[in-house]
Amino acid sequence: MMTSTMQTPAERLSLSRERLRHALAGTSDTTTEAGATPRAHPAWWHSLRSLPGAGVLIEAAEQWWARHPMRVTTMVALNAAQAVVQPLAKKHPLGLVTAAFVVGGLLGWRRPRNWILKPALLAGLLPQLLIASLKAHAQTQRPPTTARD
């Protein structure tokens, strides 16, 4: 942390506790060390959403994921994995890269995509995605209704 004045140990401790409180609560601190506010999505995400048709599909996928029953489980597993993998990556980065290489090789060798992407699955999923995207697009294009006397 680069500041013009030195912080006392008590100030550093309180700042550390505040950051830890935010991390455990799952909220992000509103300011970074430089004083800038973090963005929710990177710039490429906004440019991707601005492509014709992509915004509708992304919105439909986001709405679907918000209602999905596995969303909470996935978020908890993601947080737990991050809590385990992040310290491991700091201590043994080469070991983590080697493990990722081995797992990637095994997945490429076993080809699980052939188990998941069956034509019947895609035939059943594609109409649902199209209907959801058309509904989302129709809702965004519909002008708000006003009550008339």
Side-chain angles (χ1 to χ4, degrees):
M1 180 174 210
M2 303 294 290
T3 59
S4 59
T5 62
M6 295 296 292
Q7 291 181 338
T8 65
E11 291 172 337
R12 288 188 312 214
L13 182 62
S14 68
L15 182 62
S16 174
R17 286 180 177 166
E18 185 66 28
R19 287 181 184 156
L20 184 59
R21 207 173 294 121
H22 283 289
L24 290 175
T27 60
S28 62
D29 196 3
T30 56
T31 59
T32 58
E33 288 184 20
T37 58
R39 293 184 302 184
H41 294 292
W44 62 267
W45 178 256
H46 296 293
S47 64
L48 179 67
R49 287 184 72 108
S50 67
L51 291 175
V56 173
L57 292 175
I58 291 171
E59 184 68 30
E62 285 176 346
Q63 288 177 0
W64 169 79
W65 181 243
R67 294 185 313 263
H68 197 278
M70 289 295 292
R71 180 180 175 270
V72 174
T73 306
T74 305
M75 298 303 281
V76 169
L78 181 66
N79 288 339
Q82 186 176 9
V84 170
V85 172
Q86 200 168 24
L88 185 65
K90 287 180 180 178
K91 284 186 178 181
H92 307 288
L94 188 58
L96 191 63
V97 170
T98 304
F101 181 75
V102 169
V103 169
L106 287 173
L107 288 176
W109 178 57
R110 296 295 300 169
R111 296 184 184 158
R113 63 185 172 271
N114 293 340
W115 307 336
I116 297 170
L117 296 178
K118 299 288 183 185
L121 175 68
L122 290 177
L125 187 61
L126 191 60
Q128 291 178 1
L129 285 175
L130 287 174
I131 289 170
S133 66
L134 289 174
K135 283 181 181 177
H137 182 67
Q139 288 177 354
T140 59
Q141 298 299 322
R142 186 178 305 148
T145 58
T146 58
R148 293 187 181 176
D149 296 292

